[in-house]
Amino acid sequence: MKIFYSFLCFFILIFNGFSQSKEMQVYLLDKGVSESLANYRKQEISDVTYGLSFEIPNKKEEQIKANLVLGVTLPNHPYRYIYLDFKEKTENIQAIEVNGKKVSIVHENGHIVIDSSALVSGKNSISISFIAGNLSLNRNDDFLYTLLVPDRASTLFPCFDQPDIKATYKLSLSVPKEWSVLAGAHVKEKTEKGDFTLYTFGESDKMSTYLFSFVAGKFKSATQKPGLEMTMLYRENSPEKFRVSADTIFSLHQQSLDFLEKYTNYKFLFQKLDFASIPVFQYGGMEHVGAIQYRESTLFLDNSATDSEKLNRAKLIAHETSHMWFGDLVTMKWFDDVWMKEVFANFMADKIMNPIFPKVNHNLQFFTAHYPSAFAEDRSLGTHPIKQHLANLKDAGSLYGAIIYNKAPIMMRQLEASMGKEAFQKGIEKYIQKYANDNADWNNLVELLDAETPLDMKKWSDVWVNKSGRAIFTDQIEYDAKNRIKSFEIQQQAEDKSENIWPQVFKVGLVYAKDVKVLSVNINDKNTVVKEAIGLEKPLAVVYNYNGFGYGVFPLDGNNLNYIAGLRDEMARASSYSNLYENTLIGNVSPEKAFDCFLKGIQTEQNELVLRMATGSLNTIYWRLLTEKQQSKVQKQLEGVLYERLQANLSANIKKTLFGLFSSIAYSDSAKASLYKVWNREISIPNLKLNEDDYTNMAMNLAIFKHSKADEILEKTRTSFTNPDKQKRFEFLLPSLSKDESVRNAFIESLKDDANREKESWVSVGLANVNHPLRQESAQKYIRFSLDLVDEIQRTGDIFFPKDWLDNTVGKYSSKYAFDEVQRFLKENPNFSPILKRKLFQATDLLYKAQNIKKETE
């Protein structure tokens, strides 16, 4: 009986273990990478290495044969499975060997399952022959590049596609012999094989799968040693642009390295810092270890470039270089903290700019770079906290946007101001030292920063990081009989009517006839008394957020706006213009009054950054918030002011910014004629420096504005390119510029096929052309088409494309028709992805705001 009982217990244990194992296997085999799968693998596997080889054929239509040799260590306990991610067709998997023995192919929901029977405790070797996936290979006729963020590595090769399983890579690439290559390690061996060359790379540094990359194709190469030796691949064929740009590009990388090593007190760890310049790259840049990728147009500038364009290039390079420490060296554990790498990259980039551009007002630059974009999403129905929950890595692309790129740096600057710069920097040093070559989350950083400050970090970060939205400030100022301030109180209310309070510091300017009295304000509660103001004379105006540090919408007297253009402090002007725009959108100031204020401002503004903010806001108000009647009333005046200012003795930077606005609104007969003469080089505006891209943009505007010679303009532009990549782009865009509505319709219909959406940055421009305000009567029939396609766009596109798609379709509209189409779509699709719904609300914020403003006007 005892023996029987023991045997029965043993049988039950085995059966239960088998049952639980099967249940776990089913649970872990959801599509994508669930949190449970990620946690399971992090506990089960270690010492991962990837040996990868790819055979790149001459023609992009041909398949790419590939092989993987995966090394992985497993612990010593039963019921082990290895789950590899491979989001490709099962037939792309040709053979699998585990520890030298062939095993059957089990491929479910994008996962390759290796059964425990083939595995051993300790080191294991898994060989897989496969056809590489094309989704993230970005194949062109004579070049290709990988882009695997955030979860796209598994669309290329079988892997553990999660950020907290770092590994080394040994790569070999067989490519057509006239091609060049770039990857995360140095080339160890180069072998000619007929029409192909085999490149064998050494072992890479440790990295997460999303940071692995390679570039191959017909590229030119340049190598410099500004400190660290670096190599750049590029396709730009303008000798002038290369001459003007190359030294600066290398130097900016080195200057960024030097700053970061000093700030973090941690030497650059990776074996190299090379980069590739790619004409059709989807983003500004991507921080691949040892092989950064950039969009070519952001790197190569010519003598017509403005100071802002040069500063933006420098910031981009500093951003990607900062990622070497923040993201590549110390990586988030899970993509819900992807914002951490982006906030530090942007935050550090702003710091790096100080010594490189000593004449720039960097506080102003920070404000103009971050605040408008952060507000654009944070005021919408699609707002979200900086830190978002992520249940499955397949949805990680939805986390990207202005909240993490722009609001997060604002939060971090407020934190630094509250802690003190030295304490903040000390905490960052400890963070880098402790988690180098490892993974960390926000709580790990909070713990280290908390030790450096009396500030309650957990409480502080809870509202800034874990809550969404922004503050709406109001004030209550009382004066005594002598017109002196008797009481001055600032109230804070969350825009969403929640109880959230954002602790923050900023300054308030009291404007008098001869000077400005600047007061410091420290907000920690719903109501804050500004004691420093008591007893001061009544000012002509009160300028909130005078130093641009505060985050929210501040009180503004809509009947007293004339003082803004006359403020001597350029930061105060920028902050006031921003506050005017935000007050207009929430209904506190009429669009007409705001337009008049911005128009007055651009007639006197001498700072390029402030002018860019003013012209951008004016452009939006003109096209999106004014009625056709109101537009026709102010159009001649606006065109006249701009054209007159362009003839004045102004700096090249100011001229370029003003001309950009003029070119975008010059659709009256007289303005169109003037624009054509500039495009056709019949007239030259003094000190206005224009390049090939500017002439291309003018040609596109003239076509949209229905210039009588539109066909001739477009054809002359098409044949004028010396750069074949730019010519291909323009030829792609031509149907979107056609005066024939049926041709534009065919262009939109063609986008059903994902092959025609391959060049996403081109598609975005084409959509903007078709949905331009002057063409919306004929284009609005495609609003529903665009909305119905969004789910597929999310599935096939890169991380920024769904929002770009929405921005350049329904996001271009202000009409009641478009608003009703959105409401109808949402009603008919109750199960529409919450992630995409949020993007839709962000893209249509101005559409929603326009309905409210029009109701109030009526």
Side-chain angles (χ1 to χ4, degrees), residues 557-820:
D557 182 356
N559 295 313
N560 179 25
L561 301 173
N562 292 331
Y563 69 88
I564 296 178
L567 290 170
R568 293 181 182 178
D569 188 290
E570 55 197 17
M571 181 64 253
R573 292 199 303 278
S575 179
S576 296
Y577 282 133
S578 170
N579 197 37
L580 169 59
Y581 181 71
E582 296 303 320
N583 270 277
T584 304
L585 293 181
I586 65 174
N588 289 343
V589 179
S590 71
E592 301 98 307
K593 285 184 178 179
F595 181 90
D596 289 342
C597 183
F598 284 119
L599 184 60
K600 180 179 179 181
I602 66 174
Q603 293 178 67
T604 56
E605 187 57 58
Q606 297 292 326
N607 182 286
E608 182 192 352
L609 293 173
V610 180
L611 183 63
R612 280 178 177 268
M613 175 170 280
T615 56
S617 297
L618 185 145
N619 194 309
T620 302
I621 290 171
Y622 179 83
W623 286 114
R624 305 300 302 276
L625 302 182
L626 296 182
T627 64
E628 285 187 27
K629 186 178 179 181
Q630 290 169 332
Q631 286 176 350
S632 62
K633 183 179 177 182
V634 301
Q635 185 188 7
K636 291 284 186 183
Q637 180 189 10
L638 175 58
E639 291 173 350
V641 165
L642 289 170
Y643 200 75
E644 184 180 344
R645 268 216 100 190
L646 285 168
Q647 311 310 314
N649 183 24
L650 300 170
S651 72
N653 295 330
I654 296 296
K655 284 279 182 83
K656 193 79 175 279
T657 304
L658 290 170
F659 185 76
L661 177 59
F662 176 76
S663 178
S664 71
I665 55 92
Y667 64 94
S668 72
D669 289 342
S670 57
K672 201 161 38 180
S674 298
L675 186 63
Y676 174 79
K677 288 179 180 178
V678 175
W679 174 83
N680 205 35
R681 295 173 173 81
E682 294 175 30
I683 59 174
S684 176
I685 296 175
N687 207 28
L688 175 64
K689 299 177 181 178
L690 300 172
N691 59 27
E692 184 180 54
D693 293 338
D694 297 317
Y695 283 100
T696 301
N697 290 333
M698 274 189 275
M700 293 198 294
N701 284 338
L702 286 166
I704 292 169
F705 297 161
K706 296 182 180 179
H707 192 279
S708 58
K709 295 183 178 180
D711 290 342
E712 178 187 320
I713 292 167
L714 293 177
E715 178 58 20
K716 187 174 179 180
T717 301
R718 186 189 70 81
T719 57
S720 67
F721 292 103
T722 55
N723 185 318
D725 294 320
K726 288 187 175 182
Q727 184 172 32
K728 287 178 183 177
R729 173 183 179 272
F730 191 74
E731 287 172 347
F732 175 86
L733 293 175
L734 278 175
S736 74
L737 296 164
S738 175
K739 64 185 178 186
D740 187 336
E741 185 180 336
S742 65
V743 175
R744 301 199 301 272
N745 291 346
F747 172 79
I748 294 294
E749 292 284 351
S750 74
L751 298 178
K752 285 181 182 176
D753 186 348
D754 64 348
N756 295 324
R757 303 192 300 265
E758 209 172 53
K759 308 292 189 297
E760 293 174 354
S761 60
W762 297 2
V763 173
S764 294
V765 175
L767 289 171
N769 290 338
V770 172
N771 292 289
H772 188 279
L774 295 176
R775 289 175 154 184
Q776 288 179 359
E777 190 175 337
S778 64
Q780 64 183 8
K781 61 180 175 287
Y782 283 105
I783 290 174
R784 184 56 186 261
F785 167 89
S786 303
L787 292 171
D788 287 336
L789 207 57
V790 171
D791 193 58
E792 184 182 337
I793 298 295
Q794 170 84 356
R795 183 176 56 79
T796 60
D798 276 301
I799 54 179
F800 298 113
F801 194 42
K803 176 67 166 26
D804 285 346
W805 175 273
L806 290 166
D807 280 341
N808 290 294
T809 53
V810 66
K812 289 289 183 185
Y813 289 77
S814 302
S815 66
K816 180 69 163 53
Y817 177 91
F819 179 78
D820 290 342

Side-chain angles (χ1 to χ4, degrees), residues 44 60 74 95 128 174 188 274 308 319 347 413 461 526 569 597 633 721 781 818:
E44 290 289 307
K60 72 172 185 177
L74 296 175
I128 303 177
S174 172
K188 190 176 178 182
D274 294 339
S308 284
H319 176 105
F347 190 66
R413 187 172 70 156
S461 73
K526 279 191 174 183
D569 188 290
C597 183
K633 183 179 177 182
F721 292 103
K781 61 180 175 287

Side-chain angles (χ1 to χ4, degrees), residues 271-494:
Q271 57 186 270
K272 68 190 187 79
L273 186 74
D274 294 339
F275 40 95
S277 162
I278 301 168
V280 294
F281 196 61
Q282 293 92 317
Y283 320 149
M286 177 59 203
E287 68 270 18
H288 301 117
V289 172
I292 300 172
Q293 294 170 2
Y294 293 104
R295 184 183 297 173
E296 192 150 81
S297 61
T298 61
L299 286 192
F300 287 96
L301 305 176
D302 57 24
N303 285 323
S304 72
T306 67
D307 289 346
S308 284
E309 288 169 330
K310 294 172 185 176
L311 181 61
N312 288 339
R313 172 179 62 185
K315 274 196 68 177
L316 174 63
I317 290 172
H319 176 105
E320 303 306 337
T321 309
S322 295
H323 272 310
M324 299 303 111
W325 281 261
F326 301 96
D328 295 10
L329 182 64
V330 180
T331 310
M332 63 273 163
K333 291 179 181 177
W334 187 238
F335 261 88
D336 58 354
D337 275 321
V338 65
W339 67 274
M340 286 181 66
K341 74 184 184 73
E342 298 305 336
V343 67
F344 275 118
N346 266 347
F347 190 66
M348 290 297 148
D350 287 310
K351 287 185 175 296
I352 292 166
M353 292 304 98
N354 286 300
I356 297 177
F357 291 85
K359 294 181 181 179
V360 169
N361 182 333
H362 290 284
N363 184 32
L364 173 61
Q365 193 280 326
F366 183 97
F367 186 91
T368 58
H370 298 302
Y371 278 73
S373 297
F375 285 154
E377 290 191 3
D378 217 12
R379 66 170 173 255
S380 76
L381 294 174
T383 186
H384 58 78
I386 291 174
K387 182 180 175 72
Q388 306 164 71
H389 176 68
L390 181 67
N392 194 303
L393 199 63
K394 67 182 173 64
D395 298 321
S398 69
L399 304 182
Y400 290 79
I403 299 295
I404 70 169
Y405 280 99
N406 299 113
K407 183 180 179 180
I410 294 168
M411 175 277 293
M412 200 63 82
R413 187 172 70 156
Q414 278 285 342
L415 177 57
E416 182 188 52
S418 300
M419 286 184 64
K421 290 186 177 181
E422 289 184 10
F424 180 82
Q425 184 176 354
K426 191 174 180 182
I428 299 305
E429 282 184 20
K430 290 181 177 179
Y431 170 72
I432 293 293
Q433 289 162 5
K434 183 172 182 177
Y435 294 105
N437 262 328
D438 205 345
N439 300 80
D441 61 21
W442 173 242
N443 291 329
N444 297 137
L445 177 57
V446 166
E447 185 179 338
L448 292 172
L449 292 176
D450 201 38
E452 304 298 328
T453 177
L455 186 71
D456 186 340
M457 273 297 305
K458 290 182 180 178
K459 182 180 178 182
W460 191 95
S461 73
D462 185 53
V463 66
W464 274 102
V465 176
N466 298 324
K467 299 292 194 316
S468 62
R470 61 182 183 171
I472 303 293
F473 292 96
T474 53
D475 62 9
Q476 198 166 8
I477 307 174
E478 294 181 9
Y479 301 94
D480 61 19
K482 295 182 179 180
N483 258 348
R484 292 186 177 274
I485 297 175
K486 181 180 177 182
S487 66
F488 192 133
E489 185 175 273
I490 300 174
Q491 299 95 27
Q492 179 183 162
Q493 171 69 59

